Amino acid sequence: SHFDVVIANMMLYHVPDLNKGLLEVKRVLKPNGVFYAATFGENGLSEYLNKALFELDMVNDKKIEYIFTLQKGTSILSSFFDAVECYQYIDRLEISNVSDLIEYIKTMGILGGITNLDENKLRRYFESKRNENGILVIPKQYGTFIMKK
């Protein structure tokens, strides 16, 4: 089968053999077909939270390494497609209730490696990061790559 459009929505960083996966996308895409690949950047929500947990000695590793991000995408995709366009979605997360953020962190498998989650210590840390309006502002970094065959 061949397809006019292939979409990889927030998943290429999960693919164990990314080169093999991208070769398959290219193979099944019709001539003039379009491949959309959405992903996150290395300076967004996950990195912000991991940095906070590292500073508080709640995780072992300071940096999470992903095989596919906004920063790495153009280089990787250019090996498979002639024209790679990247569109970034500029956004941020504004949190008024730090307890909600802590509950979210407790559900995040992506951070992994949490050794000793101290909710009170975490709450104090995030409370200290609030702006003058009492809002905790966390960067988000997302975007989409668009390639044509």
Side-chain angles (χ1 to χ4, degrees), residues 104-124:
Y104 173 71
I105 289 170
K106 288 165 47 177
T107 68
M108 287 196 63
I110 196 166
L111 292 172
I114 296 177
T115 54
N116 56 336
L117 185 67
D118 182 335
E119 291 184 38
N120 291 324
K121 192 175 181 182
L122 205 51
R123 183 172 284 103
R124 285 190 302 274

Side-chain angles (χ1 to χ4, degrees), residues 46 64 75 112 125:
S46 292
I64 300 172
S75 171
Y125 175 87

Side-chain angles (χ1 to χ4, degrees), residues 44-79:
L45 177 62
S46 292
E47 179 60 24
Y48 178 91
L49 295 178
N50 196 61
K51 181 181 176 201
L53 291 166
F54 180 79
E55 285 179 20
L56 297 171
D57 291 323
M58 294 183 199
V59 293
N60 296 325
D61 297 317
K62 183 176 184 179
K63 181 110 172 104
I64 300 172
E65 288 295 326
Y66 296 99
I67 61 170
F68 188 86
T69 62
L70 281 175
Q71 288 76 10
K72 297 175 182 173
T74 299
S75 171
I76 293 169
L77 294 166
S78 293
S79 299

Side-chain angles (χ1 to χ4, degrees), residues 2-5 25-34 147-149:
H2 287 83
F3 301 93
D4 294 316
V5 174
V25 168
K26 190 171 180 176
R27 184 188 73 77
V28 301
L29 204 55
K30 288 181 180 178
N32 297 315
V34 182
M147 291 77 43
K148 290 185 181 175
K149 185 170 178 185

